[in-house]
Amino acid sequence: MMEQSLYERLGGSAGINQTASDLVDLHLVNPAFSARFKDSNPDSLKKAVATFFITGTGGPNFYQGKNMLEAHRGMNISSHEFLSAIDDAMQALSKNNIAQREQEEVLFALYSMKDEIVLV
């Protein structure tokens, strides 16, 4: 029997869209970096985050946005901000009843991108 993809275990497109929406909502009020989003369009950001996650976890969508390095270059994101963003992601996953194993897989994936996000 084949194991389900992370995409499927995160609830497919519907589950990932909800988690991404919750994640962006948390980012928008996170005092560590909410000011970075003052000029952003929350709906566009939610769509981009969801599409990135759907594609990256084995889903059907094809993310066509910037890679992590291009998206964060010149932003001078600190380690504190990065860890705070990961805390938001874990909170969004928990809010959507994502199991511990899947949370750990997402955490690993996010943390693996640190060098493309922090101080670039």
Side-chain angles (χ1 to χ4, degrees), residues 2 13 16-17 20 31 35 41 50 53 55 59 63 65 68-69 73 100:
M2 284 183 61
S13 293
I16 292 172
N17 275 300
N41 177 321
F53 268 93
T55 299
Y63 177 75
M68 289 296 101
L69 186 58
R73 186 180 309 267
Q100 183 69 30

Side-chain angles (χ1 to χ4, degrees), residues 16-18 20-25 28 37-52:
I16 292 172
N17 275 300
Q18 183 58 57
S21 178
D22 292 339
L23 174 59
V24 170
D25 288 343
L28 293 174
F37 296 100
K38 69 179 176 2
D39 296 326
S40 68
N41 177 321
D43 292 333
S44 293
L45 190 55
K46 289 175 182 185
K47 183 177 179 182
V49 169
T51 304
F52 179 80

Side-chain angles (χ1 to χ4, degrees), residues 106-118:
V106 171
L107 176 63
F108 177 80
L110 293 173
Y111 204 81
S112 73
M113 294 183 265
K114 181 180 181 186
D115 289 343
E116 299 174 18
I117 297 171
V118 175

Side-chain angles (χ1 to χ4, degrees), residues 3-11 16 19 52-53 56-59 82 86 89-90 93-94 98-114:
E3 182 176 321
Q4 289 184 316
S5 68
L6 182 56
Y7 164 79
E8 293 166 317
R9 292 180 284 130
L10 291 174
I16 292 172
T19 300
F52 179 80
F53 268 93
T57 58
F82 178 77
I86 285 185
M90 295 299 102
L93 291 165
S94 292
I98 301 301
Q100 183 69 30
R101 176 182 172 199
E102 286 71 28
Q103 288 188 36
E104 290 171 1
E105 288 181 48
V106 171
L107 176 63
F108 177 80
L110 293 173
Y111 204 81
S112 73
M113 294 183 265
K114 181 180 181 186

Side-chain angles (χ1 to χ4, degrees), residues 69-102:
L69 186 58
E70 291 171 347
H72 298 93
R73 186 180 309 267
M75 294 178 70
N76 201 29
I77 294 171
S78 70
S79 291
H80 171 74
E81 289 174 300
F82 178 77
L83 293 175
S84 190
I86 285 185
D87 287 345
D88 286 353
M90 295 299 102
Q91 186 177 343
L93 291 165
S94 292
K95 179 180 179 182
N96 287 280
N97 300 310
I98 301 301
Q100 183 69 30
R101 176 182 172 199
E102 286 71 28

